[in-house]
Amino acid sequence: MSKFEEDLIAKYDKPVPRYTSYPTVPDWNLEAFEKEEYLEGLSKSFAVNNDEGLSLYIHLPYCESLCTYCGCNTHISVNHQVEYPYIQALLKEWRMYLKLFKQRPKLKEIHLGGGTPTFFSADNLRYLIEEIKTSVELLPGYEFSFEGHPNNTTYEHLKVLKEVGFSRVSFGIQDFDIKVQKAINRVQPFDQVEKVTHWARALGYHSINFDLIYGLPFQKESSIKDTIEKVNTLRPDRIAFYSYAHVPWKRPGQRAYDEADLPDPSLKRKLNVIGQNLLRDNGYLPIGMDHFALPEDNLVKAFEEGRLHRNFMGYTTSNGQLLIGLGVSSISDTSYGYAQNAKSVKGYLMHIERGELPIVKGHTMSDNDRKIKRELLAVACEQKIQTKEALKLYSEQRERLEDLVSDGLLEKTADGFEVTLTGTQFLRNICALFDPNFGKQKGSKVFSQSV
Ligand SMILES: C[S@@+](CC[C@H](N)C(=O)[O-])C[C@H]1O[C@@H](n2cnc3c(N)ncnc32)[C@H](O)[C@@H]1O
Ligand code: SF4
């Protein structure tokens, strides 16, 4: 890594949100949120957006054991008796939404996230999806995707989910080095990953994603190189290359290893650059924050055609305006407001038993919020700043703008600015330009580092 790259990363490596929403969750105005008003917004959004189709995110929180680095909302259980009641609760929640909608919903996306969706048996997942399918009209070209843990994804899971409409799967890989795997309590042999990948291909899944992380305990240059080399033999269509988010104040599991075993900031930056360069050398194109894809993948086509979108599920190809989140901790986005469900399984089930939507907090969008969100999305998805509003906003941030231009992260174009190849590594920092709350968050321990 050159001195220039090293300096640049050192300068921009700050706590910055990932901007899967605007405002980000810590900046929601909780006092001003009212459930009734939110539900009115939901009905309006449904009336306007149903023809375009809804997106459904379903959170399946259980995992059999805790990977100590994990930053997701998980509930550890070895007792599989929890599956059926949880699925019944999800369906009950979905029926509450059906009652609020005046017509049959049209559906274009389902994403099963976690936790570990493949903690659930293939039969229970089939039941969940088939029940939902009986209540909706599926739009042509719909996309169903799920997150699978390679250690417990069976051939049966892949086969059954394919039968009910799934065509995309994302496997958590993280790192193949056994020392790293032991430190994060996630021993996962290459053979296992190879097997599930081959099964998915043979069954006709058209998009396979691998999640990788840099910055994990004991990771070094050779482990990143070796991991990416192994990954390359399997040629997943997409790769997410995440920066390890170290947030032990939120995820005490991360205290299981000594902070001294984490790569120091300089090594972590090096791992990032090495990984990104290797992914590019292997023919993967960067398509936004943390994401890479093969040139023929539809995420790349969407990026090239300006159709890329970003929401709580990450990057998607459909510009959905109505996202319903079901299950523990899920977030819904009606474009008039956000709402989040109870974060604990117990709290969630209690609301459902009482027959009420398990929404515990949210945010009502103002016109200004919507404007800023549009500009942030243009940076995150199109890597451009070119509308009038953006330039106006930007003129309020002249010093920071000029700094980004002189550092080579942005370049001037005829109608605004474009993110440079170097700048793609710092999209989070560039988005932060438009975020009036950035830097004002109470306390420093809110977001993870940007690199
Ligand atoms: C819900 S998990 C994936 C599905 C399944 N539970 C598994 O582990 O294979 C989602 C992804 O979030 C990423 N992730 C989890 N904790 C993270 C952290 N602390 N920093 C960065 N990425 C993290 C991992 O790459 C992980 O694959
Ligand atoms: S990484 Fe996946 S399997 Fe591991 S604890 Fe987190 S959600 Fe569960």
Side-chain angles (χ1 to χ4, degrees), residues 69-72 114-116 147-149 172 174 186 211 213 242-245 254:
Y69 70 91
C70 182
C72 307
T116 303
E147 293 168 14
H149 191 319
Q174 329 314 349
R186 187 184 172 107
D211 286 342
I213 302 184
Y242 293 123
S243 164
Y244 165 58
Q254 297 182 343

Side-chain angles (χ1 to χ4, degrees), residues 52-173:
E52 280 285 306
L54 273 62
S55 302
L56 206 52
Y57 170 79
I58 305 177
H59 192 79
L60 297 156
Y62 297 105
C63 301
E64 279 178 349
S65 63
L66 179 71
C67 312
T68 49
Y69 70 91
C70 182
C72 307
N73 190 307
T74 61
H75 190 92
I76 307 304
S77 175
V78 284
N79 171 13
H80 284 260
Q81 301 299 322
V82 295
E83 291 181 30
Y84 191 71
Y86 187 77
I87 285 193
Q88 288 297 351
L90 288 171
L91 290 171
K92 216 167 153 188
E93 186 185 3
W94 177 236
R95 283 182 206 116
M96 290 184 221
Y97 280 105
L98 290 175
K99 265 196 194 153
L100 292 171
F101 301 148
K102 300 273 183 293
Q103 312 157 25
R104 197 175 173 80
K106 298 180 184 176
L107 197 66
K108 64 174 174 184
E109 264 181 326
I110 293 183
H111 181 75
L112 304 182
T116 303
T118 46
F119 172 96
F120 287 75
S121 72
D123 278 347
N124 278 336
L125 294 175
R126 183 204 294 276
Y127 170 63
L128 170 68
I129 301 301
E130 281 184 343
E131 282 295 304
I132 290 175
K133 279 169 73 180
T134 59
S135 60
V136 299
E137 178 188 330
L138 280 181
L139 290 182
Y142 68 87
E143 287 214 321
F144 291 178
S145 54
F146 73 97
E147 293 168 14
H149 191 319
N151 281 0
N152 66 12
T153 301
T154 61
Y155 185 78
E156 188 68 6
H157 278 120
L158 288 159
K159 183 168 161 286
V160 164
L161 288 171
K162 185 78 185 32
E163 281 165 9
V164 296
F166 284 73
S167 57
R168 293 177 42 202
V169 55
S170 173
F171 291 122
I173 309 298

Side-chain angles (χ1 to χ4, degrees), residues 96-334:
M96 290 184 221
Y97 280 105
L98 290 175
K99 265 196 194 153
L100 292 171
F101 301 148
K102 300 273 183 293
Q103 312 157 25
R104 197 175 173 80
K106 298 180 184 176
L107 197 66
K108 64 174 174 184
E109 264 181 326
I110 293 183
H111 181 75
L112 304 182
T116 303
T118 46
F119 172 96
F120 287 75
S121 72
D123 278 347
N124 278 336
L125 294 175
R126 183 204 294 276
Y127 170 63
L128 170 68
I129 301 301
E130 281 184 343
E131 282 295 304
I132 290 175
K133 279 169 73 180
T134 59
S135 60
V136 299
E137 178 188 330
L138 280 181
L139 290 182
Y142 68 87
E143 287 214 321
F144 291 178
S145 54
F146 73 97
E147 293 168 14
H149 191 319
N151 281 0
N152 66 12
T153 301
T154 61
Y155 185 78
E156 188 68 6
H157 278 120
L158 288 159
K159 183 168 161 286
V160 164
L161 288 171
K162 185 78 185 32
E163 281 165 9
V164 296
F166 284 73
S167 57
R168 293 177 42 202
V169 55
S170 173
F171 291 122
I173 309 298
Q174 329 314 349
D175 191 296
F176 280 120
D177 186 323
I178 187 67
K179 188 166 178 190
V180 176
Q181 291 192 351
K182 282 188 176 156
I184 60 174
N185 192 34
R186 187 184 172 107
V187 173
Q188 179 176 291
F190 176 77
D191 295 358
Q192 182 66 25
V193 175
E194 188 180 36
K195 188 168 73 181
V196 291
T197 306
H198 286 162
W199 283 342
R201 287 240 164 79
L203 285 162
Y205 282 79
H206 70 67
S207 179
I208 299 176
N209 175 79
F210 281 4
D211 286 342
L212 306 179
I213 302 184
Y214 65 90
L216 291 170
F218 300 111
Q219 252 178 350
K220 44 190 195 296
E221 289 177 40
S222 57
S223 43
I224 286 281
K225 283 183 185 157
D226 182 61
T227 295
I228 293 184
E229 233 166 71
K230 287 198 167 91
V231 163
N232 197 39
T233 63
L234 302 176
R235 296 298 279 173
D237 307 83
R238 299 178 185 177
I239 294 173
F241 187 48
Y242 293 123
S243 164
Y244 165 58
H246 189 56
V247 286
W249 59 93
K250 271 204 284 192
R251 296 284 176 252
Q254 297 182 343
R255 298 214 166 91
Y257 36 78
D258 195 331
E259 285 193 355
D261 295 329
L262 293 173
D264 65 28
S266 158
L267 177 58
K268 186 176 179 191
R269 293 169 204 144
K270 217 184 232 174
L271 300 179
N272 174 27
V273 173
I274 291 172
Q276 298 217 20
N277 289 342
L278 275 176
L279 292 172
R280 284 204 195 95
D281 291 349
N282 291 342
Y284 287 88
L285 301 175
I287 30 158
M289 291 175 216
D290 319 321
H291 285 72
F292 292 78
L294 289 175
E296 52 280 10
D297 189 86
N298 63 3
L299 218 48
V300 174
K301 286 195 196 104
F303 173 55
E304 286 167 352
E305 291 164 11
R307 288 185 293 105
L308 201 60
H309 188 63
R310 185 167 172 81
N311 61 23
F312 288 104
M313 301 187 282
Y315 284 102
T316 75
T317 51
S318 75
N319 185 3
Q321 298 299 313
L322 179 53
L323 165 70
I324 303 285
L326 300 181
V328 173
S329 76
S330 287
I331 295 177
S332 300
D333 176 2
T334 66

